[in-house]
Amino acid sequence: MEKQQKSSHVVLVMVTFQGHITPMLQLASILHSKGFSITIVHPELNSPNPSNHPKFTFISIPDKLTESQLSDKDAASPVWSLNKNCAAPLQQCLEKILHSLHHIAAVIYDTLMYCAQTITEDLGLLGIVLRTGSATTMLFYPAFSQLDEERIDFVHEIKSPELQALQLKRLRALLSQNATKAMTEVRVAFANVLKRSSAIIVNSMEFLELEALSKVKQYFPAPIITIGPLHKLARAICSSLLTEDDKCISWLNKQAPKSVIYVSFASIVNIDK
């Protein structure tokens, strides 16, 4: 019994940004249903209410994020600051948990909290990264290191020279946007942790992204675990930091079945009329 208890504790490192809270809580619910004890470590920013999740243990660590950092137009700036500020507190927190429990089965961390990988390596713990987005987005990370080269491997797999040139032009334009110091460092850090992690959990399904996953496996040696979509495997969790706008539902209910295409631009995109 003691051996089972020691080996069944998982620590999840959550990033409390919009769109990243729910997937981690859903993963925690899935793991708990399989018999794991769950501790969730998170920044003080947007701290979740522990009373809403009584089966989990929550521990907050100081993030020292300022309003100016959070409102920075450079989206990578708060991510970079978060890792810089949270690295030492996170290591101290994991050391305390390890000292108390003597064993941690795994540390599963959000990709945005990439500092966790080095810490798990230093402590001799299993570090697993959670990708809250699709597997397809992971194909950009190998390209970051190739931007100054004449070729980008997966673009040059396109057979049509015209399409190949067009896609290469689009990719370079996309990846060069917001090329601040923070953005450059964050991009490199993302690629590094995906290469060094013990495994990569992707919120997706094999048959939905079969081609993308096959390419991802060529670039990253860690086992790819597709366990999504998480919202189908765990109970509904309302953790949005934004007020939900449901005015479209009454209009949607009046439309014929299979007549509407829904396109998601995620939660933080602002689009004017």
Side-chain angles (χ1 to χ4, degrees):
M1 178 63 73
E2 183 181 0
K3 183 178 180 181
Q4 181 182 4
Q5 185 178 15
K6 284 183 178 179
S7 63
S8 62
H9 197 98
V10 175
V11 176
L12 305 184
V13 183
M14 174 191 290
V15 172
T16 47
F17 290 168
Q18 176 69 24
H20 290 259
I21 301 173
T22 297
M24 192 63 83
L25 289 174
Q26 289 171 330
L27 178 60
S29 297
I30 295 169
L31 292 172
H32 186 271
S33 70
K34 302 298 182 182
F36 289 96
S37 299
I38 304 295
T39 295
I40 298 179
V41 181
H42 60 86
E44 292 174 333
L45 174 75
N46 302 323
S47 292
N49 187 347
S51 63
N52 293 335
H53 312 280
K55 296 179 180 179
F56 310 146
T57 300
F58 289 85
I59 302 176
S60 65
I61 56 176
D63 53 62
K64 299 180 182 178
L65 290 177
T66 64
E67 288 296 328
S68 61
Q69 289 173 327
L70 293 172
S71 59
D72 196 319
K73 292 183 179 179
D74 177 11
S77 181
V79 175
W80 182 85
S81 298
L82 186 72
N83 282 270
K84 179 176 179 291
N85 298 343
C86 288
L90 178 58
Q91 176 149 355
Q92 293 169 4
C93 179
L94 291 178
E95 286 174 347
K96 288 181 179 178
I97 296 173
L98 190 57
H99 178 75
S100 173
L101 300 175
H102 306 293
H103 183 85
I104 297 175
V107 176
I108 304 176
Y109 61 93
D110 190 302
T111 316
L112 297 189
M113 191 68 88
Y114 51 79
C115 67
Q117 182 58 40
T118 298
I119 295 171
T120 58
E121 292 170 352
D122 290 344
L123 297 178
L125 299 172
L126 196 66
I128 299 174
V129 62
L130 170 65
R131 284 290 303 159
T132 57
S134 66
T136 304
T137 60
M138 295 170 62
L139 290 174
F140 285 107
Y141 299 129
F144 294 152
S145 60
Q146 300 176 11
L147 282 177
D148 296 327
E149 300 177 9
E150 290 300 318
R151 64 186 186 86
I152 295 181
D153 293 340
F154 58 85
V155 172
H156 281 263
E157 292 175 6
I158 300 174
K159 294 181 180 180
S160 167
E162 293 81 8
L163 286 177
Q164 185 183 103
L166 179 61
Q167 289 293 73
L168 188 59
K169 181 179 179 181
R170 287 176 173 175
L171 184 61
R172 289 187 185 280
L174 175 63
L175 297 179
S176 64
Q177 290 177 359
N178 299 325
T180 61
K181 179 182 177 181
M183 178 62 79
T184 301
E185 291 188 11
V186 167
R187 286 172 173 172
V188 172
F190 283 174
N192 284 338
V193 298
L194 289 171
K195 291 178 180 178
R196 291 160 50 195
S197 62
S198 299
I200 303 170
I201 298 175
V202 184
N203 183 14
S204 185
M205 302 177 72
E206 190 83 20
F207 79 90
L208 283 178
E209 296 192 277
L210 191 60
E211 183 177 357
L213 285 165
S214 65
K215 293 184 184 299
V216 166
K217 291 173 182 177
Q218 296 174 18
Y219 291 105
F220 302 110
I224 309 293
I225 305 170
T226 53
I227 64 169
L230 290 169
H231 68 275
K232 288 290 187 180
L233 304 175
R235 62 181 179 84
I237 296 174
C238 183
S239 62
S240 177
L241 303 175
L242 305 174
T243 302
E244 295 187 14
D245 183 357
D246 58 1
K247 292 193 294 291
C248 67
I249 300 300
S250 58
W251 173 87
L252 185 62
N253 289 336
K254 299 175 184 177
Q255 309 309 307
K258 300 182 180 180
S259 66
V260 177
I261 296 177
Y262 170 73
V263 180
S264 173
F265 291 96
S267 304
I268 60 174
V269 175
N270 291 316
I271 302 176
D272 59 26
K273 291 183 180 180

